[in-house]
Amino acid sequence: GKWKNKERVLIFSSRGINFRTRHLMQDLRTLMPHSKADTKMDRKDQLFVINEVCEMKNCNKCIFFEAKKKQDLYMWLSNTPQGPSAKFLVQNIHTLAELKMTGNCLRGSRPLLSFDPIFDREPHYALLKELFIQIFSTPQYHPKSQPFVDHVFTFTITDERIWFRNYQIIEEDASLVEIGPRFVLNLIKIFQGSFGGPTLYENPHYRSPNMHRRLIKLSVAAKFREKQQVKEVQKIKKKGTKVLVEEDPTEVVFETPAEEKPVEIQLVKPESKPIVKDKKKLRKIQRKKQKKLFRTER
Amino acid sequence: QDGLKQCLAEFRQQLTWVERLDVTLGPVADPVSQNASTSDAVDPENDFQREMSFYRQAQAAVLEALPRLRKLQVPTRRPDDYFAEMAKSDQQMQKIRQKLKSKQEAMERSEKAKQLRAMRKYGKKVQVEILQRRQKEKKNMLNAVKKYQKGLSDKLDFLDEEQTSSQGNKKGNASQRTKKGPNAKRRYKNQKFGFGGKKKGSKWNTKESFNDVSSFQSKVAHNKGPGKGKGGKGGKKALNKRPGKRARQKMKNRAR
């Protein structure tokens, strides 16, 4: 057949990404035959430069990875000429090369896309679904693609995040093995234009990683401060001014001095107590005696 | 919200399903799920549950999509002779297979070790039992033999193969004891401690042995024998030769 659906996706990143992100990028490139690679972009340039880059490469979609502080990874998905774009925070990346992912698929085979029903319920999710479909589905009869359908991408919404998984279809009865990379997308914002423009949607549940770290540090600090405060309060209590009680004159009335005892001088040494080495044994003997008595009484 | 919808309307492409290959479905019903109430709210912290829900969602999609594809005559199964480049290189797959194999081997080894340990314990138990049984048998046998020697029983049940019947008969004729025989207490002690508890009793001072003067030799008694066998009687003579302590001291004092 003829290749009609001319989708091309540009996958590239900014500088300062770590090995995991780089591998993820490479994995995406191998999984999507309709993708193109580009060199790293300097972060000093503005984001709308990306549009020009895309146009030069004749791509109409783009996946851009941006790494900040060598810790946080942001992913932009965009439809370059004028379409919408979305920014996500990426977490929990596992790449193709991990030994626990035992599946394999043809390079360039077309994927099946599976979405959660929640995607149809909200308009912003519907928009994202459309974006995902256009970006991730390999066009039919693409020259680099293989005609078989042997793996499936799943996008699920759990815990206000989008979870991505890639499974290999082994049997027709839907037995699956996980192949491919996995990551979690946390939506930040959806823009009307590509890499800019008015904000169409802002995720209320999103908390930036900086904020997150700050909150953790604050909570730790708060705990410590609380402990200090409690200690201070205790110190004050201890030192605190003691109440002076006045002398009560009527107290003396009830005082009666004790009688004097006659002085006794002991001339005979008192009997020494038998030294009991084993109190338990003594007790045991006593008990036995009592038992005997009891029995004889009966 | 309206902006979103508008944008979506503009953005949406009119592609046939074959191009997009998307399926929107919830997960397949889990046959082993505990309650239906919790199946809706998948706990994201529970890793296993979460991954199972993803898996089932993928399964649902596959089950729905494959028949459609087949109807549209899009091939889904790769023929066996179709060789093409895979997403993961063969080297990678080899590594994965190695890892799995090593894990399995480790498990098997530990299983074997456990079994071996259990078997050894069992074997030891069996061995101990056998040894004990042998010892018991030996004890019984010895007791029975001793009984014969004392002449208590005249049955030869224990001697199946041995040929000491003649000896047994002799002993049997010699005595026809009464049923009581020794005391009950004596019998109990015999049974508990065996017959071998009492030794020969050859060194007792009984009436007979006291009156028996056959081993008296006057020469030895009066110390007058020749040095017949210095080795034999030398020790005694040598001893007698030596004077006593008092005599020795006297001699020493006299010498000084």
Side-chain angles (χ1 to χ4, degrees), chain A residues 5 7 79 84 96-97 99-107 110-117 120 124 126-127 129-131 133-134 137-140 146-149 154-156 158-159 163 165 167 169 172 174-176 179 182 200, chain B residues 1 3-5 7-8 11-13 15 17-26 42 44-45 50-51 54-55 57-59 61-63 65-66 69-70 74-79 82 84-88 92-93 95-96 99-100 103:
Chain A
N5 182 13
E7 287 284 345
N79 177 21
L96 263 182
L99 290 176
K100 296 248 169 106
M101 316 275 192
T102 45
N104 200 356
C105 67
L106 283 171
R107 184 179 272 215
R110 300 182 61 211
L112 199 54
L113 301 170
S114 154
F115 291 94
D116 210 355
D120 285 335
H124 58 271
L127 184 57
K129 178 177 157 183
E130 191 59 36
L131 201 58
I133 292 175
Q134 291 189 12
S137 58
T138 308
Q140 212 180 13
Q146 306 280 359
F148 307 106
V149 175
T154 52
F155 298 86
T156 327
T158 318
D159 194 22
W163 301 68
R165 295 280 182 278
Y167 294 101
I169 305 171
E172 302 279 298
S175 54
L176 308 168
I179 312 164
R182 30 154 102 172
L200 286 175
Chain B
Q1 273 226 354
L4 276 173
K5 293 199 179 124
C7 187
L8 178 59
F11 176 55
R12 197 183 283 241
Q13 281 176 346
L15 290 171
W17 183 79
V18 191
E19 280 293 331
R20 302 185 315 153
L21 290 179
D22 73 313
V23 181
T24 309
L25 268 184
V42 170
E45 304 294 324
R50 200 183 56 215
E51 297 298 323
F54 297 158
Y55 187 84
Q57 186 191 318
Q59 274 185 327
V62 166
L63 287 173
L66 283 186
L69 283 173
R70 233 171 285 147
V74 175
T76 50
R77 271 192 68 241
R78 189 162 67 104
Y82 188 99
E85 199 180 355
M86 306 287 277
K88 293 193 202 172
Q92 180 73 11
M93 296 311 284
K95 258 197 248 177
I96 292 173
K99 185 123 196 270
L100 281 176
K103 262 199 207 165

Side-chain angles (χ1 to χ4, degrees), chain A residues 75-237:
Chain A
M75 181 164 110
W76 289 86
L77 289 182
S78 137
N79 177 21
T80 26
Q82 75 279 62
S85 55
K87 184 174 180 189
F88 301 91
L89 173 69
V90 188
Q91 290 165 322
N92 291 9
I93 301 176
H94 294 263
T95 58
L96 263 182
E98 294 202 359
L99 290 176
K100 296 248 169 106
M101 316 275 192
T102 45
N104 200 356
C105 67
L106 283 171
R107 184 179 272 215
S109 65
R110 300 182 61 211
L112 199 54
L113 301 170
S114 154
F115 291 94
D116 210 355
I118 306 180
F119 273 102
D120 285 335
R121 288 188 211 151
E122 311 273 320
H124 58 271
Y125 282 138
L127 184 57
L128 284 181
K129 178 177 157 183
E130 191 59 36
L131 201 58
F132 287 144
I133 292 175
Q134 291 189 12
I135 289 181
F136 286 105
S137 58
T138 308
Q140 212 180 13
Y141 310 123
H142 190 280
K144 283 196 206 161
S145 72
Q146 306 280 359
F148 307 106
V149 175
D150 63 354
H151 64 290
V152 51
F153 289 162
T154 52
F155 298 86
T156 327
I157 296 183
T158 318
D159 194 22
E160 316 292 339
R161 294 175 172 81
I162 303 174
W163 301 68
F164 173 87
R165 295 280 182 278
N166 179 12
Y167 294 101
Q168 175 196 10
I169 305 171
I170 304 179
E171 284 295 321
E172 302 279 298
D173 67 347
S175 54
L176 308 168
V177 174
E178 184 152 3
I179 312 164
R182 30 154 102 172
F183 48 88
V184 178
L185 299 173
N186 205 347
L187 174 66
I188 307 176
K189 277 191 184 177
I190 305 184
F191 301 100
Q192 191 177 20
S194 162
F195 293 102
T199 311
L200 286 175
Y201 179 79
E202 194 173 336
N203 187 5
H205 306 281
Y206 171 71
R207 214 168 50 184
S208 92
N210 280 334
M211 189 64 64
H212 187 70
R213 286 189 280 259
R214 184 162 168 270
L215 282 177
I216 290 176
K217 279 194 202 157
L218 276 181
S219 72
V220 170
K223 248 200 233 173
F224 183 69
R225 226 176 287 140
E226 212 183 289
K227 268 196 213 167
Q228 294 281 55
Q229 277 182 353
V230 167
K231 271 194 195 164
E232 299 270 310
V233 168
Q234 278 184 345
K235 255 196 211 166
I236 290 171
K237 264 196 203 168

Side-chain angles (χ1 to χ4, degrees), chain B residues 59-228:
Chain B
Q59 274 185 327
V62 166
L63 287 173
E64 148 109 30
L66 283 186
R68 279 171 82 174
L69 283 173
R70 233 171 285 147
K71 251 192 283 177
L72 295 167
Q73 276 146 9
V74 175
T76 50
R77 271 192 68 241
R78 189 162 67 104
D80 293 324
D81 56 353
Y82 188 99
F83 291 116
E85 199 180 355
M86 306 287 277
K88 293 193 202 172
S89 67
D90 281 338
Q91 210 183 29
Q92 180 73 11
M93 296 311 284
Q94 192 76 338
K95 258 197 248 177
I96 292 173
R97 239 169 278 148
Q98 282 284 46
K99 185 123 196 270
L100 281 176
K101 228 200 292 184
S102 70
K103 262 199 207 165
Q104 212 175 11
E105 268 173 20
M107 227 174 61
E108 266 174 28
R109 239 180 285 143
S110 78
E111 275 297 319
K112 252 197 233 171
K114 255 189 245 172
Q115 267 190 358
L116 222 84
R117 259 180 276 144
M119 258 183 66
R120 255 193 240 143
K121 266 196 184 168
Y122 180 70
K124 184 85 182 184
K125 238 200 302 180
V126 166
Q127 191 187 31
V128 163
E129 267 178 33
I130 287 177
L131 285 177
Q132 280 186 342
R133 207 174 356 120
R134 276 197 210 143
Q135 276 186 339
K136 242 190 252 174
E137 274 180 22
K138 184 175 174 185
K139 181 181 175 187
N140 286 341
M141 182 72 99
L142 284 179
N143 276 353
V145 168
K146 278 187 186 144
K147 268 191 197 167
Y148 272 100
Q149 291 180 344
K150 307 278 177 175
L152 285 175
S153 60
D154 50 354
K155 285 192 214 146
L156 291 172
D157 296 335
F158 69 92
L159 291 175
D160 283 332
E161 306 97 356
E162 287 166 57
Q163 310 285 329
T164 52
S165 45
S166 55
Q167 195 184 16
N169 277 340
K170 251 197 237 166
K171 296 284 175 186
N173 285 339
S175 66
Q176 303 280 336
R177 293 243 177 169
T178 54
K179 255 198 179 166
K180 284 218 172 149
N183 212 355
K185 186 177 174 189
R186 187 70 260 161
R187 261 186 288 142
Y188 167 70
K189 288 224 172 161
N190 282 346
Q191 188 223 347
K192 188 169 179 194
F193 300 109
F195 290 95
K198 276 176 131 342
K199 304 291 182 191
K200 287 185 285 181
S202 59
K203 292 192 184 174
W204 286 355
N205 267 343
T206 61
K207 198 177 181 182
E208 291 104 351
S209 78
F210 190 77
N211 293 339
D212 175 25
V213 283
S214 55
S215 61
F216 178 80
Q217 294 174 4
S218 79
K219 282 190 184 165
V220 172
H222 300 300
N223 206 3
K224 284 205 180 119
K228 209 170 36 167

